Each structure stands twice: as structure tokens, then as C-alpha cells.
Amino acid sequence: MKYIFSICLIFSLFLVEAQDTSQKGELAKQTTTLKNVADSTSTKAIIPDNGKLKTVKLPDEKQNTAVPVKTDRYGLRVGVDLFKLSRALYDKDYKGIEFVGDYRLTKKYFLAAEIGNENKTTDDTRLNFTTKGSYLKAGFDYNAYENWLDMENIISIGLRYGFSTFNQELNSYKIYNANPYFGEIPAIASGEKFNGLTASWIEVVAGIKAKVFDNVFVGFSFRLNRLVSNKEPDNFENLYIPGFNRTYDGDFGVGFNYTVSYFIPIYKKKVIPVVVPKKGVTKK
């Protein structure tokens, strides 16, 4: 009986020790898990305190993440329309030149202008006339393209107000004959001149400019025009207006240019993105 009691006592002590060891192991495991949570949140942690869980606030951890800084350049871009210059090489009835320019006003908006001169002879069905004059267009462009870092490409839509002063010379004309029984009537030479003519219009512009070399850009644009005012001589219609181009249905016109330009930087602005810090997560 004495031996049986001793064996039971030893077995009971063994169970108590095993249970205590198990509790210590579980507590150590919880401590390790909670430490990992504390390291991940960096703001609050839960640590054991004599067998109880206690929440404490840890010092904020400063993130040392490098953020790339984007620099925007502001300045003046000036250039020339290659389309008008090259047209004189294959069209003997045309001479013209156009200078273009824009100034970066804000991140997305550019002040823009074009100034030029044209001398064009138009040989129409019934008329042959020469138009000479100069024009000026002024307005703005909005850049809809979001550049990466130091890229400076432009995909824009804009608006212009154009004004032209010019003169017309009627070289020859043909009288319309509804029943040409004796054949077509020969053209009649005229030489009549109409001076002091003016016109103004609104122009919608869509274009692209791409940086090909350092400060050198090439681009092209399409234009849709609508006349606002048009001073015409008696018995003669302005079928061609410098800067506006050929008139269609009396009020509408279209245009195109292909430019090369050079950018003159004036100053720079750094664009630093706003970084929102991550908030800590508290687990209970």
C-alpha cells in the first residue's frame, strides 16, 4: 500500500510538471507571435504581463523611402511650319511662311500663337485670282498627356482667335453660259485689285509635340476654323484667306501644320508627390 501511494504521488508530480511546461511553451509561443505583430504594426503591441495581455504604444517608426522628384521646366518654345516652307518646292502658285511659339503658363496650360504670311494663286473653275496677306493667331493649348519624370511630350487641344489682313487680285474670269451652243467662252483677263480686306475667325486646334533631341521638338496639328467676320469687296467673294485657308460653305475652313521648334528654358519647378503615411493596425 505504501508503495502504491508513492507511485501515485510521483505520477501526480509528473503531470503537474508537464502541465506547467506546456503552459510555459504556449506563453512563449504567444510572446513570439505578439512580438511579430508589434514589429509589423510599429505603433502598438500586445505583450504578456504575468499571464495577462497588455496593450502598449510603441514609438512611431519613420519610413526612409526615397521618393523620385519630378522637375517641370518652364520657358518659351519657338519654331517654324515646315509644311508651308516645303509647299513652295512643289506648288509654283504658293509661297508662305509661318512662325509658331508657345509659353508654358502652368502645369497643363500653354499660351500659344502663330504669325505668318501667304501669297497664293487660286485657279478655280470660273476664277483665277491671287491672294496676298499676313495673319496672326493667339490662344492657348491644354496638354492632356501625363509625362513620366522629365519627359516633356504634349498631346494638346486648344483654341485660337485669328485675324488676317490681305488683298485680292482678279487675274481672269469666265462667264457662265448655260447653253454653250458656240462652245466655251474664253477667259477674260481682268487685273482688278481689291485692297484693305480683313477677316477674323475662331480656330479649334488638336496637335502633338514630341521631344526628339535636347530642347528640340517636332509636332503637327489639325485645325477647324469658323469665320467671325469677313470683309468682302463688291461682286467678289473671298474664297481664300491667309491663315484661314480655303473657305467652304462660306464660313468654315480646315488647316494643318508640321512644325519643328526649339525650347528655351527660363526656370524650373519641382513637383514632389504627396506621400500618405501608413497607419498602424492594433490587434487585440
Side-chain angles (χ1 to χ4, degrees):
M1 191 71 179
K2 181 179 180 180
Y3 293 104
I4 294 175
F5 178 79
S6 299
I7 292 172
C8 290
L9 182 60
I10 293 171
F11 183 73
S12 298
L13 293 174
F14 177 79
L15 289 178
V16 172
E17 182 68 19
Q19 186 176 5
D20 186 64
T21 303
S22 177
Q23 291 178 353
K24 289 181 179 179
E26 185 67 24
L27 186 59
K29 185 184 296 184
Q30 292 180 2
T31 303
T32 302
T33 303
L34 295 173
K35 184 178 183 301
N36 292 335
V37 172
D39 291 340
S40 63
T41 61
S42 73
T43 56
K44 289 187 178 181
I46 306 173
I47 61 175
D49 183 16
N50 295 329
K52 297 181 180 180
L53 298 180
K54 181 180 179 181
T55 303
V56 297
K57 181 175 179 58
L58 297 178
D60 294 335
E61 181 179 329
K62 295 182 179 180
Q63 296 183 356
N64 190 18
T65 304
V67 179
V69 178
K70 184 177 182 296
T71 301
D72 287 342
R73 299 194 304 168
Y74 288 73
L76 179 66
R77 184 174 16 237
V78 292
V80 64
D81 182 5
L82 297 179
F83 175 69
K84 284 183 171 60
L85 285 178
S86 61
R87 184 176 176 180
L89 299 177
Y90 61 86
D91 186 355
K92 62 182 180 59
D93 293 329
Y94 180 85
K95 292 180 181 180
I97 188 170
E98 178 180 280
F99 297 100
V100 300
D102 63 68
Y103 176 78
R104 188 173 189 178
L105 192 62
T106 66
K107 179 179 175 62
K108 291 291 186 179
Y109 286 93
F110 295 76
L111 295 177
E114 295 91 23
I115 185 171
N117 180 274
E118 288 186 298
N119 182 339
K120 185 181 185 306
T121 298
T122 303
D123 189 12
D124 204 3
T125 306
R126 295 289 167 183
L127 299 174
N128 183 290
F129 61 94
T130 300
T131 305
K132 298 179 182 179
S134 302
Y135 61 90
L136 172 66
K137 307 176 189 179
F140 70 91
D141 286 330
Y142 173 79
N143 183 18
Y145 183 73
E146 189 66 34
N147 285 288
W148 294 3
L149 292 180
D150 294 331
M151 293 174 61
E152 296 174 320
N153 299 325
I154 297 174
I155 300 177
S156 64
I157 184 168
L159 195 66
R160 304 281 192 279
Y161 180 80
F163 179 80
S164 177
T165 175
F166 56 98
N167 59 73
Q168 307 274 16
E169 181 177 354
L170 180 60
N171 301 318
S172 63
Y173 63 93
K174 294 180 181 179
I175 299 176
Y176 177 71
N177 186 1
N179 187 17
Y181 179 78
F182 295 102
E184 184 72 25
I185 299 176
I188 301 174
S190 174
E192 186 177 4
K193 295 183 179 180
F194 308 95
N195 299 318
L197 306 177
T198 60
S200 63
W201 63 92
I202 296 294
E203 188 169 288
V204 178
V205 184
I208 293 176
K209 291 186 180 74
K211 184 178 179 181
V212 292
F213 302 108
D214 191 20
N215 296 330
V216 178
F217 292 77
V218 296
F220 63 88
S221 67
F222 295 96
R223 296 151 186 268
L224 180 63
N225 314 327
R226 191 181 191 282
L227 282 172
V228 175
S229 65
N230 184 17
K231 181 181 178 181
E232 293 181 334
D234 296 334
N235 301 322
F236 189 84
E237 184 178 355
N238 292 326
L239 299 179
Y240 190 92
I241 300 173
F244 185 89
N245 298 327
R246 181 67 183 263
T247 58
Y248 295 92
D249 294 331
D251 291 331
F252 291 94
V254 294
F256 169 84
N257 71 356
Y258 178 77
T259 62
V260 57
S261 54
Y262 185 82
F263 180 72
I264 305 172
I266 298 177
Y267 64 96
K268 298 180 180 180
K269 280 186 179 180
K270 290 184 178 180
V271 181
I272 303 176
V274 178
V275 179
V276 179
K278 295 182 179 179
K279 296 182 178 180
V281 180
T282 303
K283 295 185 179 180
K284 296 184 180 180

